[in-house]
Amino acid sequence: MQMQVVNSLKAHGLKVTPQRVTILSAIEKKGHANIDEIYKEAKTTNPTMSLATVYKNITSLIETKLLKEVAINNQKSKYELSKEPHSHLICKECGSLEDIDSNNLFTLNNDKIDFDIEEVELNIYGVCNKCKDKGTSKN
Amino acid sequence: MQMQVVNSLKAHGLKVTPQRVTILSAIEKKGHANIDEIYKEAKTTNPTMSLATVYKNITSLIETKLLKEVAINNQKSKYELSKEPHSHLICKECGSLEDIDSNNLFTLNNDKIDFDIEEVELNIYGVCNKCKDKGTSKN
DNA sequence: GATATAATTAATAAAAATTATTATTTAGGA
DNA sequence: TCCTAAATAATAATTTTTATTAATTATATC
């Protein structure tokens, strides 16, 4: 079995089920995938896998920070294994998504990357000053 | 009527309907809003407005670049009026979204912004080299 | 290794979100 | 003002996501 995936589940306090191993392996194989792609890929290994199981596990895998959601304009969210901070090249034609290293990103001007950039978007997630003052209450 | 909104619609070749004016005004008022928020706000002005109309118009307003989708992890997409390139501060507690100027962003280290940054994400949209070579075919 | 128990799963139903259909209305040009 | 294509409201249909439940299973403890 995928020892890396198994250890990762254990390290995050999740039971090691074949479904979870399959889901994580599917994502690992694909790099990034949306729910349907994960489900389809997972079924090749585990044909009895239920779609609801995929949904439920994606949620808990995100909660335990094993996975990361990548929300994308005009597409269903994709999911990736948690890894070093990085950015994405998202193709507006085919929808493909590719990791890029964020480190040397700001030498991008000199055409080192074969990609027609149409739009650059930086999203900063965190906790706003209101919430910081209020504790953890939702509003 | 909202002259600015009316002119904007005309300039983008869309018919000026009260529904569209209402939708754009609602977004303008809110700054950013998801479908439900737009619908709710729009109904205060136009109580007979149909939800399907909101969906359909959001689509055409995005197609004509009058609106921009902001896909967000763990939330429904929000929509904003097209404007100068900028970034967003997205609160993981309350889900609030605030514009920030991208220009002086990289002096951010020195705590000028009252926001606990947990994650910075830069998404670059465009056309990949494959699609560039292939024309406009989808795959 | 066997057992108890809480968590997980498959199957399914239910709910929520989005898109399609259609008859009617309307915006904008002739 | 009239014509026509586009837009709308109402609704149905579809798609996506979540909840329910009985059966199964992972794992901790013996």
Side-chain angles (χ1 to χ4, degrees):
Chain A
M1 232 203 293
Q2 300 274 18
M3 216 47 201
Q4 208 144 354
V5 163
V6 170
N7 290 334
S8 194
L9 283 167
K10 283 181 182 164
H12 289 78
L14 289 174
K15 285 193 177 174
V16 180
T17 67
Q19 290 82 353
R20 282 180 181 154
V21 173
T22 301
I23 288 168
L24 287 175
S25 301
I27 295 170
E28 192 179 35
K29 181 180 172 187
K30 291 240 165 196
H32 310 82
N34 66 25
I35 288 281
D36 308 307
E37 292 162 343
I38 294 166
Y39 181 49
K40 194 178 171 192
E41 177 66 33
K43 282 190 95 170
T44 66
T45 322
N46 185 344
T48 69
M49 168 102 61
S50 164
L51 178 56
T53 298
V54 178
Y55 272 106
K56 204 126 66 74
N57 276 315
I58 293 292
T59 301
S60 45
L61 290 168
I62 287 175
E63 274 168 6
T64 55
K65 317 257 189 215
L66 242 153
L67 285 186
K68 209 180 133 353
E69 179 182 358
V70 187
I72 308 165
N73 290 354
N74 203 31
Q75 281 190 57
K76 289 176 84 171
S77 284
K78 295 190 175 184
Y79 304 93
E80 64 184 14
L81 302 183
S82 293
K83 48 196 159 186
E84 290 299 299
H86 61 278
S87 296
H88 297 119
L89 297 174
I90 300 157
C91 179
K92 284 185 166 178
E93 305 258 346
C94 68
S96 73
L97 187 154
E98 183 189 347
D99 289 349
I100 62 168
D101 182 1
S102 299
N103 291 326
N104 47 359
L105 195 66
F106 291 98
T107 53
L108 208 83
N109 303 311
N110 49 8
D111 303 312
K112 289 285 164 56
I113 289 173
D114 194 10
F115 195 92
D116 272 0
I117 297 174
E118 287 183 14
E119 207 172 309
V120 174
E121 193 181 59
L122 181 62
N123 288 333
I124 301 178
Y125 291 82
V127 179
C128 71
N129 54 346
K130 269 192 200 165
C131 289
K132 227 185 314 179
D133 295 339
K134 259 197 303 191
T136 53
S137 68
K138 299 258 173 190
N139 61 346
Chain B
M1 235 205 291
Q2 300 275 19
M3 215 48 199
Q4 207 144 353
V5 163
V6 170
N7 290 335
S8 194
L9 283 167
K10 282 181 184 163
H12 288 79
L14 290 174
K15 284 193 179 177
V16 179
T17 68
Q19 289 83 352
R20 284 180 179 154
V21 173
T22 301
I23 288 168
L24 287 174
S25 301
I27 295 171
E28 191 179 37
K29 181 182 172 189
K30 293 240 164 197
H32 310 83
N34 65 29
I35 289 280
D36 308 306
E37 291 163 343
I38 294 166
Y39 180 50
K40 195 179 169 191
E41 177 66 33
K43 282 191 93 168
T44 67
T45 322
N46 185 344
T48 68
M49 166 101 60
S50 164
L51 178 56
T53 298
V54 178
Y55 271 106
K56 203 125 66 76
N57 276 317
I58 294 293
T59 300
S60 46
L61 290 167
I62 287 175
E63 276 168 6
T64 55
K65 316 255 188 216
L66 242 153
L67 284 187
K68 207 180 132 354
E69 179 182 358
V70 187
I72 308 165
N73 291 354
N74 203 31
Q75 281 189 58
K76 288 175 86 172
S77 284
K78 295 190 173 183
Y79 304 92
E80 63 185 14
L81 302 183
S82 293
K83 47 196 159 185
E84 290 298 299
H86 61 279
S87 297
H88 297 118
L89 297 173
I90 300 158
C91 179
K92 283 186 168 179
E93 306 257 348
C94 69
S96 73
L97 188 152
E98 184 190 345
D99 287 350
I100 62 168
D101 182 359
S102 299
N103 291 325
N104 46 0
L105 195 65
F106 292 99
T107 53
L108 208 84
N109 303 310
N110 50 8
D111 304 311
K112 289 285 164 55
I113 289 175
D114 194 9
F115 195 92
D116 273 359
I117 297 173
E118 286 182 17
E119 207 171 310
V120 174
E121 193 180 61
L122 181 63
N123 289 333
I124 302 179
Y125 292 82
V127 179
C128 71
N129 53 349
K130 269 193 204 166
C131 289
K132 226 185 311 177
D133 297 338
K134 259 199 302 197
T136 52
S137 68
K138 298 260 175 192
N139 62 344

